[in-house]
């Protein structure tokens, strides 16, 4: 069971990272990041414009750094956009935020 401090430091982080010098299709490079994210054991959701990861601050940022380290190995320029949402004492928000909107609407949404 997570300590109170770990629960308080749980974040949702959405990021997209792509090389700017590798042509139009970058799925090869994005796939490398998803391999790192998947192996991290953290909860995540891939979407068409990025990936959302949920977990303790240090672990989530560590995964993003690992993705960046891997990408910069053979990419001379890397663009990264990061958005972070912290809510004290809340976990499981990767799914509960969507569920809350669906409840309000009274129907399931495409996710």
């Amino acid at each position: 069971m997570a300590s109170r401090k770990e629960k308080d430091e749980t974040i949702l982080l959405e990021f997209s990272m792509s090389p700017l010098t590798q042509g139009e299709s970058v799925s090869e490079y994005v796939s490398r990041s998803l391999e790192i994210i998947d192996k991290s054991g953290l909860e995540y959701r891939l979407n068409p414009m990025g990936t959302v990861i949920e977990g303790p601050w240090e672990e989530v940022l560590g995964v993003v750094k690992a993705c960046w380290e891997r990408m910069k190995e053979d990419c001379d320029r890397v663009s990264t956009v990061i958005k972070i949402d912290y809510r004290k004492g809340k976990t499981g928000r990767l799914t509960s935020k969507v569920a809350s909107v669906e409840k309000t609407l009274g129907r399931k949404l495409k996710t």
Side-chain angles (χ1 to χ4, degrees), residues 16 21 25 32 34 76 79 100 107:
S16 64
T21 56
S25 179
R32 294 175 186 176
L34 266 297
D76 295 333
S79 173
S100 178
R107 62 185 169 92

Side-chain angles (χ1 to χ4, degrees), residues 43-94:
E43 290 293 317
Y44 71 93
R45 296 291 182 275
L46 174 65
N47 66 62
M49 300 297 289
T51 304
V52 181
I53 306 172
E54 181 175 25
W57 178 269
E58 294 295 329
E59 288 181 44
V60 173
L61 290 177
V63 168
V64 173
K65 183 177 181 186
C67 293
W68 176 75
E69 292 284 352
R70 176 60 183 98
M71 192 166 292
K72 76 179 185 105
E73 287 178 11
D74 57 357
C75 300
D76 295 333
R77 188 169 182 192
V78 178
S79 173
T80 306
V81 176
I82 298 174
K83 181 167 51 171
I84 298 172
D85 181 11
Y86 164 78
R87 185 169 176 191
K88 187 175 183 175
K90 296 290 185 175
T91 60
R93 295 174 53 229
L94 195 60

